[in-house]
């Protein structure tokens, strides 16, 4: 009888797990940069397949988690403005702001619409000419080109009621800042698949070189992650330090140049505040002056106000791998998936959410 | 701002359970309600009776594989079937928004009639309310059902025992995936059909084998993952999507010795032809659901927390 697809996947995973056991250096510490990787690692039970002592640590690659409290509050404030429809990806709905979440504002009467793409928000604006539609623009290089394309589409349609609250961030500068801090004890980076589709595997070459850290881009299926880990451990065993691409079916060495061009035609690099990392030079995106009409801060007259992280919340330390979620004093006590205190507990890519959903001492 | 109802409270997951446990049970508590099964079973001068009720507020009203009318009949028929009831009588309550097209109402009613006929149940009482435009989302339906329980059937999550096998009647998540795809305009919306189906025939086929069945559940909102957590089963072998809603699937907890017999009966029924044993119940101090993944790893399956929403990446 021919093997089913599932049998083939199971066989590949089993083979890779065996090979990992052969080459993984004892006590190796790998940071999975991307939140989707964190969740996939748990969902596939990858940790239970790794040799004892090998550790996987979550990094700053969850777009919701790295958004500072001041920006979360800004989205929520915009949703409360008269005549405004706040369009957002679903991830933000349950993220707690200082006073309430978008979901709570919505339940209280604010017009919050979940969209699948920024272009859906442009459509909303076209359908509601008497309302202002503000799109909560968050995410890394993965989503920023789509937001840029939405702004271009709104401009082409002559829409005067569409704007973006721009909280987009760039991953390599944040990674660089995190590593330059010198406090991270890690031996390799499992690099994100989605972001790398845009920036290319080449983007990790300077990081590998400057910080002497093996970097491997990996996909999100169980076998993809195991392959990425295997190639990281193999580099370590062979004393090589390189940027490698283990996700060639989606990621090229140079990435998606067209997407980057669209992104850079609408946005320009700007200093950005990150939860847990502080302000990092040129690590965010600001809307260029020529598209100022689509900048919500100008159109709606709103800008971030200082907002401290919730008392006791250590999301910032979690997403910089300084602690694992169970070491946060609020974890599963004051902060649960039902009543989250910080974004890491509620984001679909959050480390605390993944730990509390899947983690058990098996 | 935590003192209001959020959509999470209706997701069928943790927030729903907490709402029921902290608000409803303390005020309405009684032994029949407390077990939180799909319906209640109680004595009568004749056979024991099962009773259940459910409201249907699905949007869109019409979707591949079904519509709100079919759901309204299947949901109540299935809840009765999960109690071991052999047939039933249904009530039908309609809350209609002003301006709702009569043609759509006719379409829903035709579907109700057709599904009731397939399930062998009758709608014997009902109610119709019309509310001002904006006070409801086009059409809400409530159905309730009552039916005699098959002799010897004692089905409840509290009767699940260590050693029981867990059989799932078919592929998971078709209803949830179909609705999500349609609601979000995804390009595979035409390819996935809701599994909405009356399961009383399938349940009857299982019970007719004489297998020692301890519990039947239809994993609707919250999906198989949440349902298994309620039942406290362990060591589940299965695949995603665990948390998407089903409207034509059941989970059967049956004594290990009778598992094969029950499985064969399910496979012989059109709504159970893809049935498979997905795991077993083990003794464990702390009830937990574990799953072996396709990668060969092990993970915990917890109840759904929050609505499943479209994501960024």
């Amino acid at each position: 009888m021919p093997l089913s697809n599932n049998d083939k996947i199971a066989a590949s995973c089993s083979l890779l797990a065996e090979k990992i056991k052969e080459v993984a250096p004892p006590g190796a510490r790998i940071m999975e940069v991307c939140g989707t990787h964190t969740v996939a690692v748990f969902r596939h039970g990858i940790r239970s397949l790794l040799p004892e002592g090998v550790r996987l640590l979550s990094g700053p690659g969850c777009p919701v988690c790295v958004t500072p409290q001041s920006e979360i509050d800004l989205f929520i404030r915009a949703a409360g403005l008269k005549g405004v429809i706040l369009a957002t990806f679903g991830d933000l709905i349950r993220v707690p702001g200082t006073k309430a979440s978008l979901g709570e504002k919505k339940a209280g009467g604010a017009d919050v619409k979940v969209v699948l793409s920024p272009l859906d928000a442009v459509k909303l604006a076209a359908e509601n000419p008497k309302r202002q539609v503000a799109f909560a623009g968050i995410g890394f290089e993965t989503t920023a080109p789509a937001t840029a394309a939405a702004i271009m589409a709104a401009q082409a349609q002559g829409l005067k009621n569409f704007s973006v609250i721009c909280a987009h961030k760039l991953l390599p500068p944040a990674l660089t800042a995190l590593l330059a801090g010198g406090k991270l004890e890690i031996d390799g980076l499992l690099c994100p698949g989605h972001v790398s589709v845009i920036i290319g595997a080449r983007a990790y070459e300077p990081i590998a070189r400057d910080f002497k850290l093996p970097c491997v881009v990996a996909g999100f299926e169980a076998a993809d992650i195991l392959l990425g880990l295997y190639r990281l451990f193999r580099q370590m065993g062979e004393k090589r330090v390189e940027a490698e691409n283990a996700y060639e079916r989606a990621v090229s060495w140079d990435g998606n140049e067209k997407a980057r061009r669209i992104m850079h035609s609408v946005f320009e690099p700007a200093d950005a505040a990150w939860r847990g990392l502080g302000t990092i030079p040129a690590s965010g995106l600001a809307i260029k002056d020529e598209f100022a009409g689509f900048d919500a801060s100008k159109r709606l007259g709103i800008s971030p106000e200082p907002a401290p992280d919730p008392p006791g919340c250590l999301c910032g330390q979690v997403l910089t791998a300084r602690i694992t979620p169970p070491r946060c004093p609020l974890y599963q006590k004051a902060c649960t998936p039902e009543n989250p205190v910080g974004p890491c507990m509620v984001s679909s890519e959050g480390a605390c959410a993944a730990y509390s959903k899947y983690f058990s001492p098996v | 701002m935590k003192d209001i109802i959020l959509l999470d409270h209706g997701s069928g997951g943790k927030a729903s359970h907490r709402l029921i446990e902290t608000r409803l049970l303390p005020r309405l508590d009684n032994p029949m309600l407390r077990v939180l099964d799909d319906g209640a079973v109680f004595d009568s001068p004749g056979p024991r009776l099962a009773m259940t009720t459910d409201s249907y507020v699905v949007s869109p009203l019409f979707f591949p594989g079904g519509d709100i009318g079919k759901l309204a009949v299947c949901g109540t028929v299935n809840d009765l079937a999960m109690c071991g009831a052999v047939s039933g009588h249904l009530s039908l309550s309609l809350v209609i928004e002003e301006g709702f097209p009569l043609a759509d109402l006719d379409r829903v009613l035709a579907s109700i009639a057709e599904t009731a006929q397939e399930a062998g149940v009758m709608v014997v009482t009902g109610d119709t309310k019309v509310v001002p435009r904006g006070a409801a989302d086009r059409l809400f339906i409530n159905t309730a059902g009552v039916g005699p329980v098959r002799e010897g059937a004692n089905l409840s999550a509290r009767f699940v025992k260590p050693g029981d096998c867990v059989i799932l009647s078919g592929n998971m998540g078709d209803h949830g995936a179909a609705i999500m795809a349609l609601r979000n305009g995804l390009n595979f919306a035409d390819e996935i059909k809701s599994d909405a189906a009356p399961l009383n025939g399938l349940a009857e086929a299982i019970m007719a084998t004489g297998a020692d069945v301890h519990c039947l559940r239809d994993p609707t909102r919250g999906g198989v993952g949440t349902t298994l957590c309620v039942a406290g089963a362990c060591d589940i072998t299965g695949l995603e999507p665990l948390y998407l809603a089903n409207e034509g699937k059941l989970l059967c907890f049956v004594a290990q010795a009778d598992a094969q017999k029950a499985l064969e009966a399910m496979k012989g029924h059109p709504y159970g032809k893809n049935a498979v044993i997905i795991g077993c119940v083990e003794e464990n101090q702390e009830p937990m659901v574990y799953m072996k993944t396709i990668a060969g790893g092990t993970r915990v399956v917890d109840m759904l927390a929050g609505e499943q929403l479209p994501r960024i990446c």
Side-chain angles (χ1 to χ4, degrees):
Chain A
M1 198 169 70
L3 284 177
S4 72
N5 202 30
N6 285 355
D7 288 338
K8 286 181 198 162
I9 294 169
S12 311
C13 290
S14 165
L15 185 68
L16 282 163
E18 283 307 310
K19 286 175 99 62
I20 284 173
K21 285 198 175 96
E22 286 169 22
V23 298
R29 293 160 58 101
I30 304 296
M31 173 184 274
E32 81 267 356
V33 174
C34 169
T36 312
H37 270 149
T38 301
V39 174
V41 160
F42 277 107
R43 194 158 58 81
H44 298 304
I46 300 282
R47 282 164 182 258
S48 65
L49 298 173
L50 299 179
E52 208 169 318
V54 169
R55 292 190 65 191
L56 296 181
L57 300 163
S58 305
C62 161
V64 174
C65 305
V66 297
T67 305
Q69 197 71 18
S70 57
E71 285 177 346
I72 299 287
D73 282 350
L74 187 63
F75 300 141
I76 294 166
R77 205 141 43 84
L81 293 178
K82 197 161 181 277
V84 169
I85 300 173
L86 192 280
T88 174
F89 294 128
D91 306 51
L92 279 173
I93 289 287
R94 300 183 65 239
V95 178
T98 303
K99 289 185 186 146
S101 68
L102 277 176
E104 286 162 351
K105 284 289 263 195
K106 179 170 178 277
D111 201 348
V112 177
K113 295 263 193 301
V114 172
V115 293
L116 279 181
S117 96
L119 282 172
D120 291 345
V122 176
K123 206 169 144 212
L124 260 182
E127 289 166 356
N128 294 276
K130 292 183 179 158
R131 311 277 300 278
Q132 283 292 330
V133 173
F135 174 69
I138 78 162
F140 301 114
E141 292 89 337
T142 325
T143 52
T147 305
I151 288 177
M152 289 165 91
Q155 187 185 49
Q157 292 173 41
L159 292 178
K160 303 286 181 211
N161 65 330
F162 175 79
S163 61
V164 170
I165 306 170
C166 189
H168 283 292
K169 303 210 174 352
L170 301 170
L171 197 60
L175 263 183
T176 305
L178 185 60
L179 294 167
K183 288 184 184 157
L184 275 184
E185 289 174 12
I186 54 172
D187 305 305
L189 290 180
L190 192 72
C191 298
H194 295 141
V195 165
S196 304
V197 169
I198 308 296
I199 65 176
R202 186 192 293 282
Y204 305 99
E205 270 187 327
I207 291 172
R209 184 190 61 231
D210 296 346
F211 300 101
K212 300 190 174 37
L213 211 52
C215 294
V216 176
V217 176
F220 300 100
E221 300 295 325
D224 287 328
I225 295 170
L226 288 167
L227 178 64
L229 290 170
Y230 167 66
R231 286 174 64 167
L232 273 173
F233 295 136
R234 194 176 60 180
Q235 276 200 47
M236 292 177 211
E238 294 171 359
K239 310 278 182 217
R240 283 187 293 123
V241 176
E242 293 169 21
E244 276 187 62
N245 183 9
Y247 193 27
E248 283 177 336
R249 69 179 189 277
V251 173
S252 68
W253 195 249
D254 291 316
N256 186 332
E257 200 202 332
K258 188 179 169 192
R260 288 201 303 272
R261 201 169 54 239
I262 291 171
M263 183 169 84
H264 292 304
S265 63
V266 174
F267 299 122
E268 58 194 1
D271 296 355
W274 294 61
R275 193 184 292 260
L277 287 166
T279 297
I280 302 171
S283 69
L285 293 170
I287 296 172
K288 284 183 174 175
D289 282 346
E290 57 200 277
F291 294 97
F294 300 98
D295 189 336
S297 63
K298 297 188 173 75
R299 183 170 290 280
L300 305 178
I302 51 169
S303 54
E305 288 171 3
D309 288 346
C313 174
L314 298 185
C315 277
Q317 295 199 32
V318 167
L319 54 89
T320 51
R322 282 173 284 181
I323 62 166
T324 54
R327 288 187 55 207
C328 173
L330 303 188
Y331 177 77
Q332 293 296 24
K333 295 185 182 86
C335 183
T336 65
E338 270 179 276
N339 289 303
V341 173
C344 292
M345 185 54 95
V346 63
S347 166
S348 56
E349 299 174 45
C352 300
Y355 262 77
S356 53
K357 189 170 175 191
Y358 300 116
F359 183 72
S360 84
V362 285
Chain B
M1 199 166 167
K2 300 274 185 198
D3 53 351
I4 51 174
I5 289 286
L6 303 177
L7 282 174
D8 279 359
H9 289 115
S11 67
K14 280 186 176 176
S16 305
H17 279 84
R18 185 155 307 217
L19 182 76
I20 291 166
E21 279 165 12
T22 59
R23 305 265 163 182
L24 275 74
L25 278 184
R27 291 173 175 89
L28 305 171
D29 192 26
N30 65 65
M32 274 183 281
L33 183 63
R34 199 178 305 146
V35 294
L36 297 180
D37 282 336
D38 288 333
V41 173
F42 50 91
D43 290 331
S44 79
R48 283 176 307 145
L49 294 175
M51 181 182 174
T52 185
T53 183
D54 227 328
S55 297
Y56 301 85
V57 296
V58 66
S59 178
L61 297 175
F62 303 96
F63 45 83
D67 55 71
I68 189 170
K70 186 175 184 181
L71 280 187
V73 175
C74 290
T76 292
V77 163
N78 293 351
D79 283 350
L80 284 178
M82 299 308 112
C83 297
V86 291
S87 63
H89 292 84
L90 265 52
S91 71
L92 174 70
S93 195
L94 304 171
V95 178
I96 312 169
E97 186 187 17
E98 177 187 25
F100 188 67
L102 277 170
D104 285 352
L105 183 65
D106 286 342
R107 208 173 143 196
V108 170
L109 291 171
S111 174
I112 288 173
E114 189 185 329
T115 314
Q117 189 174 17
E118 184 194 344
V121 295
M122 278 191 294
V123 174
V124 292
T125 185
D127 179 47
T128 306
K129 295 278 191 299
V130 176
V131 297
R133 188 181 278 270
D137 183 11
R138 290 161 295 158
L139 175 66
F140 296 159
I141 301 181
N142 173 276
T143 51
V146 63
V149 176
R150 184 189 174 91
E151 205 176 320
N154 281 308
L155 304 178
S156 172
R158 67 190 191 280
F159 299 146
V160 172
K161 293 189 181 89
D164 281 1
C165 283
V166 187
I167 310 176
L168 175 62
S169 66
N171 309 26
M172 282 184 290
D174 291 355
H175 177 71
I179 295 291
M180 249 193 195
L182 201 60
R183 220 178 263 171
N184 295 310
L186 303 180
N187 56 9
F188 55 86
D190 293 340
E191 292 166 31
I192 302 177
K193 278 198 171 100
S194 165
D195 58 340
L199 295 174
N200 52 342
L202 177 62
E204 185 58 22
I206 298 168
M207 303 301 289
T209 62
D212 185 11
V213 179
H214 297 149
C215 176
L216 295 175
R217 293 294 283 238
D218 60 335
T220 50
R221 283 173 315 154
V224 172
T226 298
T227 305
L228 288 176
C229 288
V230 172
C234 297
D235 198 8
I236 300 301
T237 307
L239 291 168
E240 299 278 22
L242 283 165
Y243 297 102
L244 288 176
N246 310 271
E247 291 293 345
K249 297 296 177 322
L250 65 79
L251 285 162
C252 172
F253 294 75
V254 56
Q256 196 167 18
D258 289 344
Q260 210 54 40
K261 193 158 67 176
L263 179 65
E264 290 310 318
M266 287 166 81
K267 282 174 175 275
H269 192 279
Y271 292 139
K273 61 180 192 294
N274 293 327
V276 64
I277 297 177
I278 59 166
C280 64
V281 180
E282 287 177 357
E283 191 89 57
N284 196 331
Q285 289 215 314
E286 206 175 324
M288 190 95 81
V289 181
Y290 296 108
M291 178 172 115
K292 280 211 172 69
T293 72
I294 196 169
T298 307
R299 64 168 248 216
V300 167
V301 178
D302 197 2
M303 286 171 86
L304 178 66
E307 286 270 290
Q308 298 210 88
L309 288 163
R311 298 181 36 210
I312 292 178
C313 283

